Amino acid sequence: MQTDTLVQTDITPLNVTLVIGSNRHGRFGPVVADWLLGRLRDRDDLVPDVVDVAGADLPMSMAPTPETTAALASVTPKLASADAFVVLTPEYNHSYPAGLKNLVDWHFTEWQAKPVALVSYGGISGGLRAVEHLRQVFAELHAVTVRDTVSFHNAGGSFADGRLKDPSGPDAAAKTMLDQLVWWGRVLREGRAARPYGG
């Protein structure tokens, strides 16, 4: 005899941390990040927070020092409490910035069994080569990258006075990506609650 099973789903909003991945002087990232935060705040299933690589001030030496401890104290709790991530990256020399890799490498369990959405910007490639490299890194950290991305080709020409000239395409792409992020975020949050991840 077949019976219907009612599946209880936790629909409380997901805590999502937006990681701004560039720390270069004159960077374009904050322009894209402002647009992206608008998309995150428009949704009632996401509660955004921000980690900016430019403000993280993590040393490259990976040596524990009092300064390192202080820098981690401003970043690690935001990553640890996140149910999901959106990582915003430019493309430098066919890959992502060193500062972003440093932030990623200073952490491990904070990424595990959580979904990561990727947003990129750049010239002709739109940062997609950086995205492909980040997929490999997050797979190694036992995170799940969502399939769809948002990319800005010739990003500087896509915005005027901090606003998208034509938001229809990027807004639609962001909705698809964030819908996927929410699905994965809820499933993985429930999974971690039922059984701690042992990767």
Side-chain angles (χ1 to χ4, degrees), residues 22-107:
S22 172
N23 57 3
R24 273 192 179 177
H25 177 71
R27 63 194 177 140
F28 193 73
V31 174
V32 182
D34 285 346
W35 168 81
L36 191 51
L37 278 170
R39 306 293 72 73
L40 294 171
R41 290 173 177 147
D42 283 346
R43 300 181 64 111
D44 58 9
D45 48 9
L46 294 171
V47 177
D49 202 349
V50 176
V51 168
D52 191 339
V53 166
D57 200 26
L58 291 170
M60 301 295 283
S61 67
M62 304 296 286
T65 65
E67 293 77 18
T68 301
T69 301
L72 288 170
S74 68
V75 173
T76 303
K78 293 182 179 184
L79 301 180
S81 65
D83 298 305
F85 303 96
V86 177
V87 175
L88 171 63
T89 184
E91 182 177 312
Y92 297 163
N93 301 321
H94 282 224
S95 195
Y96 53 89
L100 176 56
K101 183 63 160 63
N102 193 42
L103 173 75
V104 170
D105 286 349
W106 270 103
H107 299 89

Side-chain angles (χ1 to χ4, degrees), residues 120-157:
S120 63
Y121 60 96
I124 294 173
S125 74
L128 291 175
R129 292 172 292 209
V131 164
E132 290 309 307
H133 288 179
L134 281 168
R135 288 190 191 281
Q136 297 174 47
V137 172
F138 281 115
E140 179 64 19
L141 295 168
H142 300 249
V144 177
T145 56
V146 302
R147 170 61 182 84
D148 287 55
T149 64
V150 180
S151 63
F152 291 96
H153 304 264
N154 298 314

Side-chain angles (χ1 to χ4, degrees), residues 3-21:
T3 59
D4 292 331
T5 303
L6 180 62
V7 178
Q8 295 286 335
T9 302
D10 181 1
I11 60 170
T12 57
L14 297 169
N15 295 318
V16 57
T17 296
L18 168 62
V19 177
I20 304 173

